[in-house]
């Protein structure tokens, strides 16, 4: 029998990228091989994101296209299974059955370890209509997921999932459930496996990663600082990162890791969202702008070389020009070297969606443009200041042009260089020769 092929399209955050890698491992263990394109695939999976309206709507247009491809393949006598996983499933299970009834299965982010069972049912055509599994299960999916079959130089490792913060704009606590942490030993085992498969960098993931509280072998609860110290002892690991952190959970022990652990990269993504205390309160964030600035001060004391990154939301309900100015002020104070910024998107079921003072679309658009121009100016300045320096780069992929590789600096900047593929998945010293807002270019040291 000819081998069956799979195709996975991933939306959303790094946790979804991690989940897609696990889903690929499940499918490989079931005998599927990766397809070179969607049209070649016997099973197509969309791993979806619900964070903003645009992300969620994109899925339905992609599903429509997948159904057309399925019909074309059917003309050639080929069956196609279409499945959806991820946060849209958790939030919109009823919508999926209505808007895309041709979907064969839909599982939420916490139940995709049951895919072998579900896919087997679909293959045997035992189910009529869409199989939907959006339970918040009692078991941990991590106990059932296969270890990665391969790893690139730069690997993700989920250590924590879910969020108890309930920011008033955010769907994550509803799609990923309450916070759970994986045991320390399990994380170390997975890290060892990744390193043995070639990982030089591990990025620890969690929706609220710095509230990690996993049990150690003796049943004692341990925080992220303990885990980072343990992982830093592993032979062969050259770089460590963790993302995404919540400001109120940045304790002193964790801050000190940035002083004491040499392989912990000097870069931290710590979303502040807004600069106005009134808006932060309405967002139900448990920090003020002042608290945030004090944390940065401590981090800079622990490691003066640290570069900061953040997420911002503009046009949250009730945001006035003065509130927005406070966001610009905090950007001017911290001088983020990288950032993501978004227009507030109304999400059904969240408290902010029904707040009375919604901000006009036109105002949101203007504020986003103003904020992004300011953020880009700091990012550009930082990138320019790197020119002439030597930096270590972990090369992750081939570039657009022949003979080009793309990698990341310790500060997560993209850097491209003319180099052979023998440097892929290696850490190499590079002299930085050029900079734009979004990337750096360089040459191999010694050339
Ligand atoms: N757990 C992470 C990531 C959450 S989603 C964290 O707490 O930072 C990533 C970013 O999306 C958030 O930081 C926020 O800036 C943005 N976001 C979340 N909900 C949003 C909404 N309803 N509208 C616009 N942006 C949103
Ligand atoms: Fe969402 Fe807030 Fe939790 Fe981040 S901290 S996932 S923004 S609820
Ligand atoms: Fe999106 Fe879910 Fe991640 S909503 S941002 S994929 S946690």
């Amino acid at each position: 029998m000819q081998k069956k092929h799979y195709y996975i399209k991933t939306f959303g955050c790094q946790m979804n990228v991690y989940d897609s890698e696990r889903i690929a491992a499940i499918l490989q263990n079931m005998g599927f091989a990766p397809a070179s394109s969607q049209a070649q695939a016997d099973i197509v999976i969309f791993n979806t994101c619900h964070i903003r309206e645009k992300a969620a709507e994109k899925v339905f247009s992609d599903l429509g296209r997948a159904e057309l491809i399925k019909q074309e393949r059917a003309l050639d006598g080929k069956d196609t299974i279409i499945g959806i996983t991820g946060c849209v499933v958790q939030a919109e299970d009823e919508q999926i059955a209505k808007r895309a009834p041709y979907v064969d299965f839909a599982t939420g982010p916490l139940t995709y370890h049951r895919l072998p069972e579900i896919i087997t049912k679909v293959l045997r055509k035992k189910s009529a209509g869409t199989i939907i599994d959006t339970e918040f299960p009692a078991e941990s999916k991590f106990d059932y997921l296969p270890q990665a079959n391969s790893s690139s130089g730069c690997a993700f490792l989920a250590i924590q999932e879910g969020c108890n913060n309930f920011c008033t704009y955010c769907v994550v606590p509803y799609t990923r459930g309450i916070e759970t942490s994986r045991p320390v030993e399990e994380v170390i085992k997975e890290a060892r496996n990744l390193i043995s498969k070639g990982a030089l960098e591990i990025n620890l993931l969690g929706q609220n990663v710095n509230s990690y509280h996993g049990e150690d072998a003796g049943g004692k609860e341990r925080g992220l600082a303990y885990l980072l110290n343990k992982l830093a002892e592993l032979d062969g690991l050259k770089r460590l990162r963790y993302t995404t952190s919540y400001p109120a959970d940045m304790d002193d022990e964790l801050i000190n890791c940035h002083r004491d652990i040499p392989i912990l990269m000097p870069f931290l993504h710590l979303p502040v969202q807004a600069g106005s205390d009134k808006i932060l309160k309405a967002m139900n964030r448990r920090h003020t702008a002042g608290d945030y600035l004090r944390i940065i001060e401590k981090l800079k004391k622990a490691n003066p070389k640290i570069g900061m990154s953040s997420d911002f939301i503009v046009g949250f309900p009730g945001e006035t020009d003065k509130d927005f100015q406070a966001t610009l002020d905090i950007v001017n104070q911290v001088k983020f070297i990288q950032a993501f910024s978004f227009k507030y998107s109304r999400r059904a079921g969240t408290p902010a969606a029904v707040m009375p003072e919604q901000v006009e679309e036109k105002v949101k658009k203007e504020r986003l443009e103003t904020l992004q121009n300011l953020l880009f100016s700091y990012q550009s300045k930082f990138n320019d200041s790197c020119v002439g320096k030597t930096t270590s780069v972990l090369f992750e992929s081939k570039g657009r042009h022949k003979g080009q590789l793309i990698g990341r600096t310790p500060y997560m900047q993209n850097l491209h260089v003319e180099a052979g593929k023998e440097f892929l998945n290696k850490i190499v010293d590079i002299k930085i020769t050029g900079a734009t807002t979004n990337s750096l270019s360089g040459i191999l040291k010694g050339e």
Side-chain angles (χ1 to χ4, degrees):
M1 208 177 76
Q2 233 191 345
K3 204 157 182 149
K4 300 247 183 239
H5 291 85
Y6 69 86
Y7 182 88
I8 304 173
K9 181 159 178 185
T10 310
F11 301 83
C13 62
Q14 286 165 334
M15 187 71 101
N16 258 15
V17 177
Y18 174 87
D19 289 339
S20 288
E21 284 169 3
R22 296 283 82 71
I23 293 169
I26 291 175
L27 293 169
Q28 284 162 22
N29 289 357
M30 291 180 76
F32 288 89
S36 48
S37 72
Q38 193 177 326
Q40 307 297 320
D42 303 284
I43 178 163
V44 178
I45 295 182
F46 296 99
N47 193 13
T48 61
C49 172
H50 199 247
I51 201 83
R52 285 168 289 275
E53 193 180 347
K54 243 198 208 151
E57 278 310 306
K58 176 102 189 24
V59 174
F60 287 102
S61 62
D62 272 30
L63 280 172
R65 219 169 305 127
E67 169 60 1
L68 291 179
I69 296 177
K70 179 172 177 159
Q71 287 168 3
E72 272 169 34
R73 281 172 50 90
L75 295 177
D76 291 336
K78 292 180 189 153
D79 277 344
T80 313
I81 297 175
I82 302 178
I84 327 179
T85 55
C87 291
V88 169
V89 178
Q90 205 65 42
E92 298 200 31
D93 44 356
E94 285 167 19
Q95 285 292 316
I96 290 166
K98 262 190 231 142
R99 291 179 63 179
Y102 47 80
V103 165
D104 295 292
F105 68 84
T107 69
L110 304 183
T111 47
Y112 69 82
H113 58 292
R114 297 176 182 164
L115 278 176
E117 230 176 281
I118 294 172
I119 293 170
T120 307
K121 260 193 212 162
V122 176
L123 282 170
R124 290 189 187 145
K125 304 208 185 322
K126 275 203 176 152
S127 62
T130 312
I131 302 178
I132 296 187
D133 186 355
T134 49
E135 204 194 324
F136 282 131
E139 79 271 14
S140 162
K141 69 181 179 201
F142 294 108
D143 293 341
Y144 299 86
L145 294 176
Q147 295 267 317
N149 296 327
S150 62
S151 171
S152 60
C154 170
F156 292 124
L157 201 175
I159 62 165
Q160 181 278 337
E161 187 161 23
C163 185
N164 298 348
N165 286 324
F166 289 93
C167 300
T168 50
Y169 49 83
C170 182
V171 296
V172 171
Y174 311 97
T175 63
R176 296 266 172 177
I178 53 157
E179 286 180 14
T180 54
S181 296
R182 296 176 70 190
V184 171
E185 292 301 314
E186 200 180 302
V187 172
I188 291 176
K189 190 172 150 214
E190 187 164 332
R192 280 214 178 95
N193 177 54
L194 291 167
I195 296 166
S196 76
K197 303 251 156 58
L200 298 171
E201 170 175 320
I202 291 183
N203 194 339
L204 303 176
L205 298 182
Q207 267 86 35
N208 188 7
V209 75
N210 61 337
S211 82
Y212 174 84
H213 53 274
E215 282 187 5
D216 69 9
K220 192 169 171 196
E221 273 204 0
R222 301 289 192 169
L224 182 59
Y226 177 88
L227 187 66
L228 287 170
N229 277 295
K230 280 274 166 203
L231 290 167
E233 289 168 9
L234 296 180
D235 265 352
L237 189 61
K238 305 281 190 238
R239 288 176 163 195
L240 250 180
R241 304 180 189 275
Y242 58 95
T243 198
T244 298
S245 296
Y246 187 74
D249 293 319
M250 281 313 292
D251 59 28
D252 288 346
E253 222 187 322
L254 181 55
I255 290 173
N256 286 341
C257 290
H258 288 274
R259 180 192 65 200
D260 300 333
I261 303 181
I263 66 167
L264 189 59
M265 292 292 100
F267 175 82
L268 187 66
H269 182 62
L270 188 65
V272 64
Q273 312 297 357
S276 145
D277 288 343
K278 179 192 99 188
I279 294 297
L280 287 170
K281 191 152 184 261
M283 287 176 163
N284 192 32
R285 302 282 293 182
R286 287 179 287 114
H287 60 86
T288 60
D291 294 335
Y292 187 84
L293 291 170
R294 277 186 289 278
I295 295 165
I296 307 273
E297 213 172 284
K298 281 190 190 174
L299 280 162
K300 294 236 155 165
K301 218 181 248 169
N303 182 354
K305 286 194 177 145
I306 204 160
M308 296 304 303
S309 154
S310 179
D311 291 342
F312 294 91
I313 295 177
V314 300
F316 185 82
E319 187 187 72
T320 60
D321 285 340
K322 190 164 156 253
D323 293 320
F324 176 60
Q325 184 55 47
T327 296
L328 300 177
D329 291 345
I330 206 163
V331 172
N332 284 322
Q333 274 169 287
V334 180
K335 303 180 173 55
F336 297 93
I337 65 169
Q338 226 177 73
F340 299 97
S341 43
F342 313 97
K343 286 184 283 186
Y344 165 69
S345 171
R346 237 166 144 169
R347 308 310 285 133
T350 61
V354 290
M355 287 180 181
E357 299 170 84
Q358 298 289 327
V359 173
E360 251 181 283
E361 184 59 28
K362 186 171 146 271
V363 175
K364 285 191 212 173
K365 201 167 158 241
E366 281 167 10
R367 287 184 187 162
L368 185 65
E369 213 176 290
T370 309
L371 174 61
Q372 289 187 335
N373 284 339
L374 186 64
L375 288 168
F376 286 152
S377 75
Y378 284 114
Q379 189 171 326
S380 271
K381 237 182 248 165
F382 178 70
N383 286 353
D384 285 343
S385 76
C386 296
V387 176
K389 292 186 181 155
T390 296
T391 182
S392 72
V393 176
L394 171 49
F395 286 105
E396 293 172 32
S397 59
K398 289 187 196 156
R400 239 182 300 157
H401 309 295
K402 206 166 173 261
Q404 195 184 49
L405 294 182
I406 298 183
R408 298 247 196 197
T409 70
Y411 293 102
M412 285 292 242
Q413 296 147 298
N414 278 318
L415 183 144
H416 54 89
V417 83
E418 302 293 320
K421 53 181 186 305
E422 66 273 20
F423 293 104
L424 259 185
N425 296 316
K426 298 229 166 69
I427 295 177
V428 186
D429 272 347
I430 296 293
K431 180 149 193 238
I432 301 167
T433 52
T436 67
T437 305
N438 291 314
S439 71
L440 301 175
S441 52
I443 50 169
L444 292 170
K445 198 83 198 298
E447 270 191 359

